[in-house]
Amino acid sequence: AASFGGGFLLSALGVATHNIGLVYLGYGVLGGIGLGLSYTPPIQTLIEWFPEKKGLASGLTIMGFGSGALLFAPAANVLLEKFSSLPTYLGSAVDTVTENGRLFAEVGGKMVEVVYANAADLAKLSTQGLQEGFYVVGSGNTGAAMTLATIGVGYTLAMLGSALALKKPHPSYSVSGGGGVTTSSHSAVNVHTDNMFRLPQFYALGTVLVVVASGGIGFIGVAKPLMSEVFSGTLPSIVTASFASSFILMLSVGNLGGRLAWAAVSDKIGRPATFHMFTLGSIAIYASLPTIIQQVVQNQSAASLGAFCGLSVAAISMFGGMYAILPAYESDLFGSKYVGANHGKMLLYSSTAAIAGPSSFLFLKSLSEKAAITDLVSKIDPAAFKEKFGSDVSALDTLIEAKTVTVAKLMEITPTGVMDPTPFLYDTSFYSIAAAIGVGAVAHAMIRPVNPKWYEKVK
């Protein structure tokens, strides 16, 4: 509780002081440690309290873990609205000068850095009341620092109270129709947790986890800006800031529902078959999303937008379902005696995915964006470019780094008939995820029963 909540508080301090290191240390390192410490103990405790319903007990626990966005997203939006303030607006026509790719204007007798936000830029923001024109850089407040601090205090109190109330059953505890919870493992054979890193099954299953989780975590991380950037220009009356927030909630519902639904499916058809559905199904979905995006843009089709949302929810349900049945799959392969410790080791792959997923999504998107900008500039009259941005095309890299040149601003001076590449900037990310999960599908197909030499000797 102290680690997880404290991570939010430290990251709030980092945001307030513009120290990205504190944000990484707080939200990433300290919060991640708290997350890891709090994940497996409730699963083990509930399994002991409900020995006759172990699958349901663990599934509900992991479902609760995955449904946090249902609470976090609306709470964060409310707090951001409460604590935020608008930046200083200078107007739509201001005399500016360009220095090192940055715009400056005279305000109150002083030269201050400014940025121009057009309609396309403002459409990507959830903040209401902003007008197209020039704004003073560094003015206004997003409310992020106070939001993180408030959530951090709330999480600390809630988790501390739950931790104090969480108790393991007495050794004599039993349920109707079942024996005491301290009986030996139900598995006839078990692999000691110290041997997990020696098993090829561990690495194969971990490969599946890291690629599917990277896709799911990365997609969820960019879902809101993706929805706005890709579809708001094509269907502005439908894809509003509110719709983008609703899309996040839809993904959370898919994540939550998948943890229950896929757990039930796995009990019917088995864990291996269910994981085959996860890998092959995810490949098909992620590989098809760029085509659906193209259909939305070309036909301005709300039906295609619905298909995109539906398939996205299906992909995230598989991501959630994988986490829900992973402990059961580990129990099938390695025995249930050390499932808590074994699952903790498996979550090392989840930590890797939490870093690789969002960073890969954003990195690939930035590459696509830079390539799109370069392509657009090649179609623009150099004189028009210099008039618009105050610099020659030779300074393009500097202007891109300073955010002076963006796709949206270039589209204002491109020749008629040139298509806006913004909706397609995530295509490479989707194709790359599909390819990575293909590797996971091959790894999963190679999983075989554990060699009996690794079974723990029964005394």
Side-chain angles (χ1 to χ4, degrees):
S3 179
F4 189 69
F8 274 87
L9 295 174
L10 186 58
S11 62
L13 178 62
V15 172
T17 59
H18 300 282
N19 188 327
I20 190 65
L22 287 180
V23 175
Y24 289 150
L25 180 61
Y27 192 78
V29 178
L30 189 59
I33 291 173
L35 192 67
L37 292 174
S38 63
Y39 186 82
T40 56
I43 299 174
Q44 186 66 41
T45 302
L46 285 177
I47 285 176
E48 293 181 358
W49 276 109
F50 303 98
E52 83 287 10
K53 297 181 179 179
K54 291 184 177 181
L56 180 60
S58 63
L60 287 173
T61 306
I62 297 174
M63 180 190 70
F65 177 85
S67 62
L70 292 175
L71 172 65
F72 181 85
N77 286 336
V78 171
L79 292 172
L80 285 171
E81 184 176 353
K82 177 177 178 61
F83 295 126
S84 65
S85 59
L86 297 179
T88 302
Y89 178 65
L90 300 180
S92 59
V94 176
D95 292 330
T96 62
V97 295
T98 303
E99 296 182 8
N100 298 322
R102 299 156 66 188
L103 293 176
F104 290 85
E106 184 176 348
V107 179
K110 298 181 179 179
M111 298 300 292
V112 298
E113 185 178 356
V114 299
V115 63
Y116 182 82
N118 60 22
D121 295 324
L122 298 178
K124 302 174 184 177
L125 304 176
S126 59
T127 305
Q128 303 296 320
L130 296 177
Q131 303 178 56
E132 184 173 355
F134 290 90
Y135 291 87
V136 176
V137 172
S139 62
N141 192 326
T142 63
M146 283 300 298
T147 296
L148 288 171
T150 303
I151 291 175
V153 171
Y155 275 151
T156 300
L157 295 176
M159 294 177 68
L160 185 60
S162 298
L164 293 174
L166 193 65
K167 305 291 183 183
K168 299 185 72 172
H170 190 273
S172 64
Y173 172 78
S174 62
V175 295
S176 177
V181 297
T182 57
T183 56
S184 60
S185 171
H186 292 291
S187 297
V189 292
N190 297 278
V191 178
H192 195 280
T193 187
D194 291 344
N195 293 322
M196 288 299 292
F197 292 123
R198 302 177 183 179
L199 302 178
Q201 292 86 350
F202 174 80
Y203 295 101
L205 194 59
T207 299
V208 180
L209 172 59
V210 76
V211 294
V212 176
S214 292
I217 296 172
F219 193 6
I220 292 173
V222 302
K224 188 171 183 177
L226 180 150
M227 179 58 64
S228 297
E229 293 170 12
V230 173
F231 300 115
S232 63
T234 303
L235 299 171
S237 61
I238 298 176
V239 184
T240 61
S242 176
F243 183 90
S245 297
S246 298
F247 180 59
I248 295 293
L249 292 179
M250 290 169 60
L251 296 181
S252 298
V253 171
N255 189 358
L256 176 67
R259 296 186 185 224
L260 283 180
W262 287 112
V265 170
S266 73
D267 287 336
K268 297 291 185 181
I269 67 175
R271 254 69 70 178
T274 307
F275 262 60
H276 281 311
M277 293 179 67
F278 289 164
T279 54
L280 299 179
S282 295
I283 292 170
I285 289 174
Y286 285 119
S288 67
L289 291 182
T291 301
I292 296 175
I293 290 173
Q294 186 175 26
Q295 292 176 350
V296 174
V297 174
Q298 290 181 346
N299 304 324
Q300 297 185 344
S301 171
S304 296
L305 175 62
F308 178 91
C309 294
L311 288 175
S312 299
V313 171
I316 298 304
S317 79
M318 296 178 187
F319 156 74
M322 179 194 61
Y323 273 102
I325 70 173
L326 189 59
Y329 203 167
E330 294 163 8
S331 179
D332 294 343
L333 286 172
F334 313 121
S336 59
K337 185 176 181 180
Y338 303 104
V339 68
N342 292 342
H343 190 57
K345 288 181 171 65
M346 187 64 70
L347 289 180
L348 293 172
Y349 288 99
S350 181
S351 300
T352 301
I355 298 172
S359 59
S360 298
F361 241 103
L362 294 176
F363 175 72
L364 292 171
K365 190 250 185 178
S366 67
L367 291 181
S368 297
E369 186 172 21
K370 188 170 183 179
I373 288 174
T374 302
D375 181 62
L376 287 176
V377 169
S378 68
K379 301 174 182 178
I380 295 174
D381 184 352
F385 182 92
K386 185 173 184 178
E387 181 181 356
K388 174 70 174 179
F389 300 106
S391 297
D392 293 327
V393 175
S394 59
L396 181 61
D397 289 340
T398 302
L399 295 172
I400 292 175
E401 185 177 352
K403 303 296 184 183
T404 301
V405 171
T406 64
V407 171
K409 293 172 184 176
L410 286 174
M411 288 304 299
E412 297 176 357
I413 57 174
T414 54
T416 303
V418 175
M419 179 176 288
D420 186 353
T422 300
F424 312 109
L425 296 180
Y426 290 94
D427 287 6
T428 303
S429 298
F430 287 130
Y431 286 132
S432 298
I433 291 172
I437 297 177
V439 175
V442 173
H444 183 254
M446 297 173 65
I447 293 179
R448 297 293 183 269
V450 175
N451 190 318
K453 73 177 183 178
W454 295 112
Y455 292 158
E456 186 177 49
K457 298 297 186 292
V458 179
K459 298 180 180 179

